[in-house]
Amino acid sequence: PAQHGAGPFRFRDGQGMAMRDFRQLLASDRAHVFDGAMGTMLYTRGVYINKCFDEMNLTSPDLVAGVHREYIRAGAEILETNTYGANRIKLAGHGLEARVGDINRRAAEIAREAAGDSVYVAGAIGPLGIRIEPYGPTSTDEARAVFREAAEGLLEGGVDLFVLETFSDIAEIHEAIRAVREISDLPIVAQMAIDINGNTLYGTAPEVFATRLDAWGADVLGLNRSVGPHAILSAAERIRAATEKRPAA
């Protein structure tokens, strides 16, 4: 677990690595700017969609770092690591399941080097791409182990917080939160994907998933992808009414 240090904006993780305390930023009463899509930016640079974008952390680190630096120049205060699909299950489709730790750790290092001391680094974790119980054969324990493996690499690489993004199944993001909390007390931003009515693709209403994410220990509750700004804003307002946690979109 992270141990607080002497400085107001820094602490040390279990590896003794100096890191910034993202909760200090949350305490300020203003909007904060994350970066944008990494995959889209890599695609515009000639990385075809049949490639494993997560592997670029190992094979083309300068390309990934260049995207991070462009987002910083555009005003981003928080960078997300290039690890949206960097879990054992998704990487297996590219024969890379044995490189989970390497890919996640290197991704965090690349973002950390680009960020310096002025920008926060968020370890990005996306859904597994399979259904877990009761909707599928994968147990919650198995899912949590997969999420933990990815989170361990990100933590070793020096992230300041975790972003769990684009989840549709509330049970799956619960296991992701539990996995992170088994190894770290760093802040968690938990983001659900919704339909035009504001519900998740599994039919969970914003008021319901906001209450649960709050109870499970997420520091920021949010939404991303799926629909346009009007539906996102409407759902965000419903989330805000259900919790005192910070909203993100």
Side-chain angles (χ1 to χ4, degrees), residues 8 28 49 68 83 116 119 145 151 209 219 231 237 240:
S28 63
I49 58 175
H68 286 318
T83 52
V119 174
F209 66 70
D219 296 271
E237 290 173 341
R240 190 62 180 269

Side-chain angles (χ1 to χ4, degrees), residues 52 55 88-99 103:
C52 178
E55 188 185 16
R88 174 171 294 272
I89 294 170
K90 286 189 173 180
L91 290 176
H94 301 277
L96 296 167
E97 62 271 26
R99 306 298 304 275
I103 289 172

Side-chain angles (χ1 to χ4, degrees), residues 74-173:
E77 299 170 80
I78 306 105
L79 298 177
E80 289 191 42
T81 56
N82 177 38
T83 52
Y84 174 73
N87 63 69
R88 174 171 294 272
I89 294 170
K90 286 189 173 180
L91 290 176
H94 301 277
L96 296 167
E97 62 271 26
R99 306 298 304 275
V100 174
D102 295 335
I103 289 172
N104 281 278
R105 182 174 56 255
R106 187 64 186 121
E109 291 171 348
I110 293 168
R112 180 83 275 154
E113 291 163 6
D117 291 329
S118 60
V119 174
Y120 293 87
V121 173
I125 297 177
L128 302 179
I130 57 173
R131 292 192 169 193
I132 69 172
E133 60 181 346
Y135 302 105
T138 303
S139 72
T140 54
D141 288 344
E142 290 171 326
R144 186 164 68 257
V146 174
F147 284 126
R148 175 170 175 156
E149 181 181 33
E152 287 173 338
L154 293 167
L155 188 63
E156 290 173 6
V159 298
D160 301 309
L161 65 147
F162 289 90
V163 173
L164 314 178
E165 58 176 327
T166 326
F167 281 79
S168 298
D169 181 2
I170 193 72
E172 185 179 12
I173 199 170

Side-chain angles (χ1 to χ4, degrees), residues 19-32:
M19 304 169 75
R20 301 184 66 195
D21 189 349
F22 183 71
R23 290 187 177 91
Q24 293 284 344
L25 191 70
L26 292 180
S28 63
D29 190 21
R30 66 178 182 85
H32 303 289

